Amino acid sequence: MASRESTVTLDDLRAAQRRVAGVAVRTPLLPCPWADADRPLYLKPENLQPIGAFKIRGAINKIAALPEEERARGVVTHSSGNHAQAVAYAARRYGVPATVVVPHGTPPLKVAATQAFGAEIEFVAPAERGPRAEKLAAELGRTLVPPYDDPYVIAGQGTVGLEIAEDLPEPGTVLVPVSGGGLISGVAAAVKALSPRTRVIGVEPELAADTYESFRRGELVRWDTDRRFRTIADGLRMEPSQLTWAHIQAYVDDLVTVTEDQIREAVGVLARRARLVAEPSGAVTTAAYLFQRDRLPAAGPCVAVISGGNVDPALLAEILAG
């Protein structure tokens, strides 16, 4: 198991909470009267953030923490959409230039939103986005803001977990989407610091279940890009870094997977029953609650983090029509 000495601390998380205050929304915990009475469900709707996803927290924390001179030179990142929007939004807030490397196939809605915040966009093949962003940052003399492989980004995302633990003392289970691992790393570190008995469970699509397999084996397992890019959950196609894997090993209790049909069903349930627009990546936790009950602890209320709501309107219409 990884040492907790290599992970973000409660002090790091509290500092991030101060930096994001007034920029990121402190999203509520929404009770779900339509859920099972014997296992209450609360939704943490990060789709209500200004950019429609939790990613604003990590981007703001990272950019706000930069020395003023370094921040003024600008930032570079790579993303399939939500982190791109978050960095563009944060850069505009601080009046600094931002360039975003985006993989081909990113939903047009997310690309348009990123451009609307003033960022420059460069498209590359999915496997090239990380190396290209690193090269651009070096060429332009700018700071790289990774989507998840950074302690400031992780601590920023972890403010989600601080809010959960503060608003619902000792929840039984917290369900968190897993991709590169920044969100679950921060949330798990925060929840375990404030509510050690709460079980933190990651959720992945079956078609991008590299972290699930890694967790079962006790070592990082790599899936190639084409294999991970099969899922409809476009925000969950990345793989953990050594840093996020250390957090997952130290703090996460288990991982479960959900099918593509279950993800679609959960998007529909959230729209019809909770009146929330969730993208497929954000709906996986609700899918786990609905369809993986035997894998979840029976005791205590369950919190499902709805990580984002930037869904293509045509896809949402198709799901709801079905």
Side-chain angles (χ1 to χ4, degrees):
M1 297 293 288
S3 167
R4 294 191 178 189
E5 295 177 357
S6 63
T7 59
V8 298
T9 67
L10 184 57
D11 286 343
D12 297 329
L13 293 158
R14 291 296 190 199
Q17 194 171 41
R18 291 190 292 271
R19 292 189 191 102
V20 306
V23 183
V25 173
R26 185 185 177 103
T27 53
L29 284 180
L30 303 179
C32 299
W34 44 268
D36 290 346
D38 63 344
R39 187 180 292 178
L41 174 65
Y42 293 84
L43 304 177
K44 180 68 169 170
E46 288 295 293
N47 56 313
L48 301 182
Q49 292 294 346
I51 57 97
F54 75 95
K55 290 284 192 176
I56 190 173
R57 297 172 182 266
I60 286 290
N61 190 48
K62 173 67 175 179
I63 294 174
L66 292 174
E68 186 173 348
E69 181 179 337
E70 183 177 348
R71 186 168 61 221
R73 291 196 293 269
V75 294
V76 173
T77 194
H78 59 92
S79 169
S80 62
N82 286 336
H83 180 67
Q85 293 177 67
V87 170
Y89 182 92
R92 187 179 72 172
R93 182 177 179 84
Y94 285 102
V96 301
T99 300
V100 182
V101 178
V102 175
H104 293 298
T106 296
L109 179 76
K110 295 182 178 181
V111 174
T114 302
Q115 291 174 318
F117 291 131
E120 296 181 3
I121 304 291
E122 180 173 324
F123 290 95
V124 298
E128 297 174 7
R129 67 186 197 174
R132 179 56 182 159
E134 292 176 3
K135 184 177 180 181
L136 270 177
E139 291 174 350
L140 299 173
R142 296 182 183 178
T143 298
L144 182 68
V145 182
Y148 51 87
D149 188 26
D150 182 275
Y152 287 94
V153 172
I154 290 172
Q157 320 305 25
T159 60
V160 172
L162 289 180
E163 293 173 11
I164 291 171
E166 290 166 356
D167 293 346
L168 185 67
E170 294 197 353
T173 308
V174 176
L175 299 172
V176 189
V178 179
S179 181
L183 177 60
I184 196 167
S185 291
V187 170
V191 169
K192 290 298 186 180
L194 299 183
S195 183
R197 291 185 293 181
T198 297
R199 288 180 62 81
V200 179
I201 298 179
V203 186
E204 279 190 309
E206 281 188 357
L207 296 185
D210 53 328
T211 310
Y212 175 86
E213 184 178 345
S214 297
F215 198 80
R216 293 291 173 272
R217 292 193 183 187
E219 61 181 2
L220 270 178
V221 176
R222 298 303 189 188
W223 287 20
D224 63 46
T225 303
D226 290 342
R227 189 179 180 190
R228 286 182 277 111
F229 268 61
R230 297 172 299 163
T231 179
I232 191 176
D234 62 274
L236 303 183
R237 294 169 174 168
M238 295 303 291
E239 58 187 358
S241 66
Q242 291 293 336
L243 179 60
T244 57
W245 176 239
H247 285 76
I248 290 167
Q249 287 187 296
Y251 298 112
V252 174
D253 295 290
D254 201 0
L255 275 91
V256 299
T257 63
V258 289
T259 69
E260 299 296 289
D261 286 344
Q262 290 168 350
I263 295 170
R264 286 174 173 267
E265 180 69 18
V267 170
V269 168
L270 288 168
R272 297 186 182 98
R273 304 298 298 276
R275 294 161 293 282
L276 290 175
V277 173
E279 60 190 275
S281 302
V284 296
T285 50
T286 302
Y289 175 86
L290 294 172
F291 300 108
Q292 295 291 340
R293 299 294 299 276
D294 60 330
R295 295 289 306 280
L296 306 181
C302 182
V303 177
V305 177
I306 311 302
S307 55
N310 294 313
V311 59
D312 180 79
L315 175 61
L316 180 61
E318 174 195 321
I319 291 173
L320 296 179

